[in-house]
Amino acid sequence: MTHRFSRFFALVLFAPALFALPPKAMAGFADSDDGRLFIREMYERHGFDPAATRAALARAKHEPRVIRLIRPPTSPAARSWQRYRDRFLDAARIHGGLAFWQENEAALRRAEELYGVPAEIITAIIGVETVYGRQTGSFETLSALATLAFDYPPRAALFRRELAQLFLLAREQERDLASYHGSYAGALGMPQFLPSSVRHYAVDFDGDGRIDFDDSPADAIGSVAHYLRANGWERGGAIAQRARLAQDADPAPLIAAGIEPALTAEMLAAAGIGAENGTRPEAAATLVDLETPGAATEYWLGYRNFYAITRYNKSSFYAMSVYLLGETLRERRARQTARAPQ
């Protein structure tokens, strides 16, 4: 067979795979219309050399797996609070959380004193996010964010902003863009901060002159506490409390009021809703419904600090898992401390 026919059959064989790729993936991010616009904006807004930005985008790879992972499921399963909760209140996160707390007790105590966020909540967030640094993700952040910024239209605007923030972060930290690795959505390190959150909320808590989310638990601890404090955490404030509903109560209108705490004790009482233990709700609250198919819905009152946790991840399931994991860690650590020899 001649080389001409060999090349012809090779093209026929691989043509379907080539045409299955998005146009930008075939042309390269740097040479797409959106890529050229990004290069110009990075120069005009932040003074980045266009040739250097273009070279960086040219190194980024289209990551099909990123698109598959971020797309909503075509046949979503029914939301289940019990299934979600059991993923995070497991042995690995409970035992690992107690060990993490023990190993980082000084940093957790200092963060609590400085920012007012309890050690158990900081520990629980790092546990829910990455099992205390064991599952931080292995995607090259530049390629993941470029793929989402230029090849995923439903959320392109968000990820284009995060891509720009990654460039700014690398310049500030004097790091190679290709050296960042994390989740498929561009989240970094133990606390899974997006680049914008690293730039705005991360702190050098161990005092070594740099922020390191891969190898410094102290930096992760201080940064999580700082993030929550900056997003409304109230020192000593309540987080959540089980709700008690009268038999004829209709919770739907109060749930529809949204996640931000705005329901006064009087409003809740008028709707037949109070705290489970019969006490008056501690402050303005939101009514949280935790549904599980085939089981009774759990209702909770979420206070300002519950809302602060939802700023980390805008999900009441997430915030409640953090709260309950934190409570479990606090109670077990208290029992351990009580049993320890004096």
Side-chain angles (χ1 to χ4, degrees), residues 232-245:
W233 186 275
E234 296 177 346
R235 184 186 298 269
I239 300 174
Q241 192 175 17
R242 277 189 180 270
R244 182 187 62 189
L245 275 65

Side-chain angles (χ1 to χ4, degrees), residues 297-311:
T297 298
E298 289 184 30
Y299 292 98
W300 289 73
L301 301 175
Y303 299 108
R304 178 58 54 179
N305 287 344
F306 184 87
Y307 178 73
I309 298 172
T310 68
R311 300 309 86 195

Side-chain angles (χ1 to χ4, degrees), residues 18-77:
L18 286 172
F19 287 114
L21 291 174
K24 300 186 193 73
M26 296 173 65
F29 298 124
D31 295 323
S32 68
D33 290 342
D34 289 339
R36 285 190 287 267
L37 177 60
F38 180 84
I39 292 167
R40 186 168 75 245
E41 288 176 346
M42 292 303 289
Y43 169 69
E44 293 174 350
R45 296 179 183 177
H46 307 294
F48 278 84
D49 174 60
T53 305
R54 187 189 182 285
L57 287 184
R59 291 201 309 270
K61 303 177 184 67
H62 172 78
E63 292 279 6
R65 195 154 67 100
V66 165
I67 302 292
R68 289 199 300 272
L69 288 168
I70 206 158
R71 276 182 178 146
T74 53
S75 300

Side-chain angles (χ1 to χ4, degrees), residues 60-208:
K61 303 177 184 67
H62 172 78
E63 292 279 6
R65 195 154 67 100
V66 165
I67 302 292
R68 289 199 300 272
L69 288 168
I70 206 158
R71 276 182 178 146
T74 53
S75 300
R79 293 176 77 245
S80 169
W81 160 237
Q82 290 181 9
R83 185 169 61 242
Y84 187 97
R85 177 196 61 200
D86 291 348
R87 284 173 53 200
F88 299 112
L89 270 77
D90 60 354
R93 285 177 172 84
I94 293 169
H95 297 313
L98 292 170
F100 182 87
W101 196 336
Q102 180 71 31
E103 292 161 7
N104 299 282
E105 183 175 4
L108 286 162
R109 187 185 308 115
R110 187 159 59 92
E112 185 167 349
E113 291 169 356
L114 184 60
Y115 298 112
V117 182
E120 64 267 19
I121 294 298
I122 302 169
T123 302
I125 283 181
I126 295 173
V128 168
E129 290 290 340
T130 61
V131 197
Y132 314 104
R134 282 182 246 163
Q135 298 174 5
T136 58
S138 58
F139 288 89
E140 183 195 66
T141 306
L142 173 63
S143 293
L145 287 176
T147 298
L148 294 170
F150 301 125
D151 287 343
Y152 188 60
R155 300 180 69 186
L158 165 65
F159 288 110
R160 206 165 299 176
R161 290 194 297 271
E162 289 301 331
L163 181 62
Q165 292 292 314
L166 180 68
F167 274 77
L168 291 163
L169 179 64
R171 181 167 70 180
E172 291 163 358
Q173 295 187 336
E174 299 181 343
R175 278 181 61 174
D176 184 347
L177 275 162
S179 70
Y180 293 91
H181 290 78
S183 78
Y184 64 86
L188 300 168
M190 271 184 249
Q192 291 289 277
F193 275 17
L194 287 170
S196 60
S197 292
V198 178
R199 293 190 64 236
H200 292 108
Y201 302 110
V203 294
D204 172 22
F205 210 57
D206 62 11
D208 68 352

